Amino acid sequence: MMLIPMLSSDSVLSRALGLWGLLLLFGAGLLLPHATQAQNTPGAQGPYALTNAQILVTPSDTVANGTVVIRDDSIAAVGPNVSVPSDAETIDVAGQTIYPGFIDSGTHLGLQEVGSLSETQDFNEIGDLTSHMNALTAVNPNTVHVPTTRVHGITAVITEPETGMLPGTAALIGLHGYTPEQMHLGGVTLTKLDFPSIGRQGPSDDRAPETIEKESEEALDKLNEVWDAAERYAAIDSAVAVQPEARRQPTHLPAMESLVPVIRGEQPILISANAASDISEALDWAEERGVLDQVILGGALEGWRVADEIAAAGVPVLVGSIMQPPSRESDRYDKAYRTPALLHDAGVPVALRSGKTENVRNLVFHAGFAASHGLGKTDALRAITTTPARIFGVEDHVGTIEAGKRANLFVANGDPLQPDTDVQHLFIDGYKLPLDNRQTRLYDEFLNRNPGLEK
Amino acid sequence: MTSVFSSRLPVALGVVLVATLLTTPAAAQDQLRGDAPNDWLIQDATVLTVTNGTLETGDILVRDGQIAEVGQDLSAPSGVEVYDASGEYVMPGIIEAHQHMGISNVNEATNQVTAEVGVGDVLDPYDIGIYRALAGGVTTAHVMHGSANPIGGRNETIKLRYGVTNPDRLKMEDAPRTVKFALGENPTGLYGQGRDQVPRTRMGVEQVIREALTEAERYMEKQQAYQTGDRAQPPEHSERLEVLAGVLRGDILVQAHAYRADELLMLMQVLEDFGVQDLVFHHVNEGFKVAPELAAFGDDGAGASVFSDWWSYKFEVYYSTAYNAAILTENGVNASINSDIPGEQRDLFLQAAKTQRYGDLSDTQALSLITINPAKQLGIDDEVGSIEEGKAADLAIFNEHPLSVYTKPQRTYVDGVVRFDHEQDPDDMRLRVDPEGTVDLARDGWSRHAAHSCLKGVTHLRATHQGVTLENAE
Amino acid sequence: MIASPLRRLGLLALAVLLAAAPPLHAQDYDFTIPDVTDTYALENVQVVQAPGEVIDEATVVVRDGLIESVGPDAEVPYDARRIDGDSLVVYAGFIDGLSHAGVEMPEDEEDNGDEIDPGDPPFDAAGIQPDRSVRSFLTPDDSDLEGLREVGFTAGHVVPEGQMLPGASALALYGGQSASDMVLESGATLFAQIETADGYVYPATEMAVIAKMRQLVREAARRQELETAYERNPTGQPRPPQDPVHSALFPVLDGDTPLAFYADGALPIHRVLNLQQELDFPLVLAGLAESHATVDALQDTDAPLFLTLDLPEEPTRTAQGDTTIADTTDSPSRYYRPDARTPTHATAPDEAENLEIRHAMERQDYLETAATLHEAGLRFGFTTREADAGDVRDNLRTMIDEGLPESVALAALTTRPASVLGLNTRLGTVEEGKIANLVVTDGSYFAEDTEVQHVFVDGQLYDYSGGESDGGEVSGDVSKVLGTWSYTLETPQGDRSGTLTIEGDESGLEGTITNSQGTESELESISFDGTTLSFTVSPAQGPSLSVTVTVEADAFEGSVSTPGPSLTITGERTSAPNAMRK
């Protein structure tokens, strides 16, 4: 292992490296303010050296006893024989394990504070055609839900808009930062399409099968009309670009404009579909529209029924929430838990999504259930680390504990999917973050309330 | 054809049909469940008794649906079936203190006080949710009226005897009767904001309850006067006040939906004023703030049946903590963990396990939250809630320790009868299907709108109100 | 009123669409010829006096509304209209165990919904009206009566419509000139259902209906006690509360008047039985569609039972549904795999088939319900409340095919209801002195090709022997016209649209027309020759309109002939039945 971090294409990193290189050369490390900074700061970058650790470099590659060096926002070095830089704060984590930060591939985190209060909900703009809405805009970096989530080792989430056919773009956000831009991870932006559903919308939906079919056909026609229009828009836009002076801009239609990157193959499209027939329909549609290569499938609760089709289409899937009853009353009771495994076995890349807001923290238990229901621990861990990183195209930045990647990782005193395990240290973008949050503070205050019964 | 008829031979009421040929799933159910043996020897398991520690390589002898003996190296008397549970874990059947499955109605949301109605009158033994609960190790459930009204209807404690179709057979015969109360945002939202009726505030909720209990007091006085001859005529009969009089007499236990610390204190004060000693709060997200007061209520303290970690779905649960169960437990409050929403009743063992992350409860403390503690809250702890000789053989068998995230239920016994078996059960466990229907279309995911909770039945009342309040009504 | 041709035309077009036109000045030969005599002699008929009691050749004399004589040697009176009954069969008129036939409820009163406290509505808003009687709502003009008569029903236990306690029933004849003619007995039972109130008022749930039943019965018991005491000695006692609702329940408490509950599903059946056990009232139980699942519980009650003559239909599947074993087999259980699992996507198609079969099995259970009840030793009559009169004979045949003995079916239509409704001295058999309610057929009633020829109600003849069938000629490929069509009628007032539905096969077509307001009318005399479709529609008043169109592919075009100029009608087929289905 190298002492000096690998060069990275990341400009911030290379600039930082220049500075650090100088400081190292002149032995100025001891004078660094960070090294002696108080522990109670909301978060501080290192350098840090986590020593005597078991390291889960990737879900299938574990270093039994090694060191991880964190410098700036990145992992500087990893391995059994890594030396601790002299300027680093050393944290001895003997007997504990370092895991790459977990990724939840579908949430509303940051977009809603209190479920029943619409004034705190920002994921559901009015209208069916709101593809120009960007979830990132409305992410509240200071939501009380962020600190309660990341202390479970979850360091990044996809946060999605909802309602309407084209609700807008979802974004991958890291769970530390004071502006949405600081949180935005790898620039990941996914245009979301809630594919028209022919499934029943729950037990109270008593529409006749014919009605459901008709309504879904109408919705599909509408989608095709929208797409036709968007393709026209893109074509005009391209034509104008050739001779900007001579040609007129298309009528300004932000919703259409927002679809241009998808039409041009520059942006992934996240298609939500759960019923088997919806999924098949969605894959056919994407192929017809020439966007199949860009498709990421979300939800896919019944994906197992058409796992072969999904595999043949080469489409990755963000499955979940799996912690729910199976989609049909006649289904086996554990079918939803098994869906990730059944998709995986068919050759589909599988990532997990909790679908939650304030309880994204339960992602770890979802992974545990997926593991025991056929996926196995290694692939369950992949489904919340390397696989989503690859699906979102950020595998060079996150998902494993390798030098050069972002320092998104945590230290746990056991299997992080087990309820009785505690996270001991947490790093996001190299910041060592406090493990308290409002829920732990309430615990601290009220476990032995003072005064108690008598004042 | 003949086989269908042979399964319909008349037998005495209450005895489940004996089917010789398994031509329908219902017949399969009868075979498996109705006429199934209730004498078992469960061998070589790790027995988590909850009340008497853990027995490694332990045996449980079940005779006639009851736990006859717990020990090691027991031998099977003749006629007793043997289940080899080596490597597996047996815990008491999980008790769910708050659910709305298995009932046709949840809320009679037309009146602030509807103590006269009872979900026990509308049990639905066909609900697949009952089977799915069994597949999560649950054997007993307290199925409840909703939380639309300050005083709702009576609840019912049911045994999950999935397979029976006579609704009465679900009832746990000796369980004390209970009645639902509800405080806070649900009643104030429905009546005050939705209909411009009292209560709009927590002040109003208190007065609605006081008024109803006072009326019940007067009712009892009149009845007594009539019985002693001080009154010539019997008072006008009231099903509603009969139930509330039962509350005042201590025959019917109050099970109150409540969240905020102030309203917990309010109801304790009200009940104390009326001499009512039995009280279990449900949800109680701010119970941790007044844990000492809860512990000090009445003779045995007020119980608290909480969610493991639900919060932030409405304003009165914004200042919550997942450490609630742990704080309550450490402060001597009898706490349980419930799942409330049909569909969520399948992983209570995981919800209990979370208290080891949020507050480091011991294995026994954590398991108690879903076994003996809810049994105490429902007044059925002499029959269920732990693995003890003489109790009902309600047992949940897991392949790993039930507090491990990787555990999976293997078998669930209710009264000694196997009602869930992951080996044997087919996929389709419905007891009936729509004769005019075809294969179900799949539901599109788990719609939060459909996840009926404590406010089920009031949906259209709030159609003019913002729909979102309904999604997370509980 | 002088109508201009154009105006008339407008009204006429509306008549087609609304099936409710004002009187027109066209000729109308549809008047009734008065009967010359009300004495009839059915000669040389086979008489099924009661199930199993058959006289092969006899004469039945009907006079003054009664059966005057029955037997091989019965004398034919001088004033009798003779009906040659060679090859005819005479049955006792059928008795309907519970229905709304002949009942026309008044329009809802202006609802003063704003003033009703949803938590404590007045009795009528809550659906609690045991103090009213169906007697006030009876009319011989109700169209349901005609349909039921045509399949042999001549009397029944009729109940008012409503919610939990809609009112007192009557035992009524299914014919007559006036409501008074119809009534055999008023107030035989109080009709009851576990049915929530209209609108969102208490009781809005079944559990509240049940609680309210308890409240009403128990409070009625108290009031009855007070009234008895008051009657004994009113002096010095406060006058007991007077209200007709509670008072109406006194006969129930006395055991004199049963509560007649309608309950089809297994759960409602159990709920009614539980309520009866708890409150101990006399019970009549009708509906019972799912009673095959409640046999045990029913064996514990001595309540008279009336089984619905409705049966579940096969689902209409959408276009892509292929025919499966479930559609074609008579014994689906042979193909069902009760232990099936679908571990992966590979077996999903097998799963679908297996589940189809399961639904077919469930239908089979319903078809066998009558046989199941019979084999369990339960005796029952029938109720037409939820059945279409046109399906009654088919459904009876199905029940018989599935194991219900014919004699039991006949008893359930005649002697059983007569005895449990207390009518057996007057109805139920073909015997001298009984009310002349008869069904005359040209063969065994339960045989498929048998036609009902005559029905007597209270001695009055309803003759069906002339109208073999009002269907027209049908030939060619009928699948070209089957299904649902949307039509557009060009009228001087603009285009009117609606839908046509046509079903049937080579042996005959039937159908309905529905206008844009949703008013539905039957199509009559439908004929089709492979390309030309014609039919007539009769508005409630005014002359019939005949429609002739040419069908090509999934469209038609043609005209509607009216007393004025004819109108152009075009249409397009919006759905066709699955060609593969039988």
Side-chain angles (χ1 to χ4, degrees), chain A residues 113 324 333 415 438 449, chain B residues 289 312 318 346 406 446:
Chain A
E113 201 64 26
Q324 58 176 311
Y333 62 93
D415 178 347
R438 195 164 80 195
R449 197 187 77 187
Chain B
K289 293 183 179 173
S312 209
Y318 189 51
R346 310 177 315 138
Y406 303 115
W446 182 235

Side-chain angles (χ1 to χ4, degrees), chain C residues 269-495:
Chain C
I269 292 170
H270 280 298
R271 287 167 192 168
V272 170
L273 292 174
N274 283 349
L275 203 54
Q276 194 269 336
Q277 277 197 341
E278 196 183 329
L279 300 174
D280 193 28
F281 49 78
L283 172 69
V284 168
L285 186 52
L288 301 169
E290 205 184 0
S291 57
H292 50 264
T294 62
V295 168
D296 300 4
L298 288 171
Q299 276 174 329
D300 224 34
T301 175
D302 51 8
L305 305 177
F306 294 109
L307 174 64
T308 182
L309 279 167
D310 184 38
L311 289 177
E313 284 171 20
E314 281 183 49
T316 39
R317 243 167 290 162
T318 43
Q320 79 267 21
D322 295 326
T323 308
T324 68
I325 293 172
D327 300 311
T328 53
T329 179
D330 288 334
S331 48
S333 59
R334 274 177 43 207
Y335 301 93
Y336 185 65
R337 294 174 294 121
D339 53 354
R341 288 198 187 173
T342 312
T344 71
H345 63 88
T347 45
D350 300 342
E351 178 201 32
E353 181 178 286
N354 204 45
L355 292 175
E356 294 283 2
I357 293 170
R358 180 147 192 220
H359 284 278
M361 285 164 64
E362 194 89 19
R363 277 197 297 285
Q364 189 68 22
D365 282 347
Y366 281 76
L367 308 187
E368 291 170 6
T369 300
T372 304
L373 295 182
H374 170 66
E375 294 193 13
L378 292 164
R379 300 177 69 192
F380 55 89
F382 287 116
T383 165
T384 65
R385 186 195 183 204
E386 294 297 324
D388 284 341
D391 293 337
V392 161
R393 292 191 59 204
D394 281 347
N395 290 349
L396 279 165
R397 259 193 303 282
T398 302
M399 291 176 186
I400 289 164
D401 289 346
E402 301 298 340
L404 180 69
E406 275 193 20
S407 62
V408 176
L410 184 59
L413 289 165
T414 57
T415 49
R416 181 65 188 165
S419 103
V420 298
L421 295 172
L423 293 169
N424 51 345
T425 54
R426 292 187 276 173
L427 292 174
T429 57
V430 188
E431 289 178 292
E432 282 175 22
K434 290 210 169 169
I435 294 171
N437 279 14
L438 301 170
V439 183
V440 184
T441 60
D442 58 7
S444 163
Y445 179 79
F446 301 109
E448 190 165 2
D449 48 5
T450 295
E451 303 275 352
V452 171
Q453 299 290 326
H454 312 286
V455 171
F456 286 88
V457 179
D458 207 15
Q460 188 184 343
L461 170 68
Y462 296 86
D463 193 349
Y464 304 109
S465 58
E468 274 290 294
S469 150
D470 67 0
E473 294 287 307
V474 177
S475 61
D477 180 6
V478 292
S479 70
K480 286 182 179 172
V481 286
L482 299 183
T484 306
W485 299 75
S486 64
Y487 72 78
T488 305
L489 180 70
E490 294 166 19
T491 80
Q493 285 76 33
D495 290 355

Side-chain angles (χ1 to χ4, degrees), chain C residues 86-380:
Chain C
D86 195 19
S87 82
L88 294 185
V89 186
V90 178
Y91 296 92
F94 302 155
I95 301 166
D96 190 348
L98 189 142
S99 84
H100 299 304
V103 178
E104 280 182 4
M105 302 304 290
E107 291 294 310
D108 277 345
E109 290 157 39
E110 275 304 299
D111 82 272
N112 47 349
D114 292 346
E115 290 156 34
I116 291 180
D117 174 359
D120 189 17
F123 280 126
D124 57 343
I128 301 167
Q129 297 154 295
D131 50 327
R132 67 180 189 179
S133 168
V134 74
R135 174 67 184 77
S136 341
F137 314 121
L138 281 181
T139 164
D141 301 329
D142 180 45
S143 60
D144 289 348
L145 286 175
E146 179 57 31
L148 288 169
R149 259 194 318 258
E150 208 170 328
V151 294
F153 283 96
T154 59
H157 171 220
V158 296
V159 298
E161 292 171 35
Q163 291 84 39
M164 66 179 275
L165 285 167
S169 71
L171 303 178
L173 293 165
Y174 281 6
Q177 304 305 315
S178 67
S180 305
D181 284 355
M182 296 172 69
V183 177
L184 290 165
E185 188 183 327
S186 273
T189 65
L190 289 185
F191 184 42
Q193 322 176 80
I194 300 186
E195 183 74 40
T196 59
D198 250 0
Y200 204 80
V201 300
Y202 190 98
T205 54
E206 286 81 4
M207 62 183 168
V209 172
I210 292 168
K212 193 71 186 180
M213 290 273 186
R214 289 191 187 107
Q215 170 66 33
L216 287 167
V217 169
R218 289 178 175 151
E219 173 61 10
R222 183 188 75 103
R223 294 191 182 194
Q224 195 178 27
E225 206 176 296
L226 296 186
E227 280 202 10
T228 313
Y230 190 73
E231 275 167 30
R232 225 180 290 127
N233 177 21
T235 313
Q237 287 203 58
R239 199 165 62 87
Q242 295 293 316
D243 95 88
V245 165
H246 287 94
S247 304
L249 295 171
F250 293 171
V252 176
L253 299 173
D254 293 337
D256 296 335
T257 302
L259 288 180
F261 268 92
Y262 193 92
D264 263 334
L267 294 177
I269 292 170
H270 280 298
R271 287 167 192 168
V272 170
L273 292 174
N274 283 349
L275 203 54
Q276 194 269 336
Q277 277 197 341
E278 196 183 329
L279 300 174
D280 193 28
F281 49 78
L283 172 69
V284 168
L285 186 52
L288 301 169
E290 205 184 0
S291 57
H292 50 264
T294 62
V295 168
D296 300 4
L298 288 171
Q299 276 174 329
D300 224 34
T301 175
D302 51 8
L305 305 177
F306 294 109
L307 174 64
T308 182
L309 279 167
D310 184 38
L311 289 177
E313 284 171 20
E314 281 183 49
T316 39
R317 243 167 290 162
T318 43
Q320 79 267 21
D322 295 326
T323 308
T324 68
I325 293 172
D327 300 311
T328 53
T329 179
D330 288 334
S331 48
S333 59
R334 274 177 43 207
Y335 301 93
Y336 185 65
R337 294 174 294 121
D339 53 354
R341 288 198 187 173
T342 312
T344 71
H345 63 88
T347 45
D350 300 342
E351 178 201 32
E353 181 178 286
N354 204 45
L355 292 175
E356 294 283 2
I357 293 170
R358 180 147 192 220
H359 284 278
M361 285 164 64
E362 194 89 19
R363 277 197 297 285
Q364 189 68 22
D365 282 347
Y366 281 76
L367 308 187
E368 291 170 6
T369 300
T372 304
L373 295 182
H374 170 66
E375 294 193 13
L378 292 164
R379 300 177 69 192
F380 55 89

Side-chain angles (χ1 to χ4, degrees), chain A residues 209-210 213 304-308 328 330-332 335 342 346, chain C residues 316-320 341-348 351 355:
Chain A
E210 297 81 3
E213 201 171 331
W304 68 272
R305 278 185 208 278
V306 288
D308 49 344
R328 307 182 187 193
S330 55
D331 281 342
R332 190 169 174 79
K335 215 64 183 192
L342 292 173
Chain C
T316 39
R317 243 167 290 162
T318 43
Q320 79 267 21
R341 288 198 187 173
T342 312
T344 71
H345 63 88
T347 45
E351 178 201 32
L355 292 175

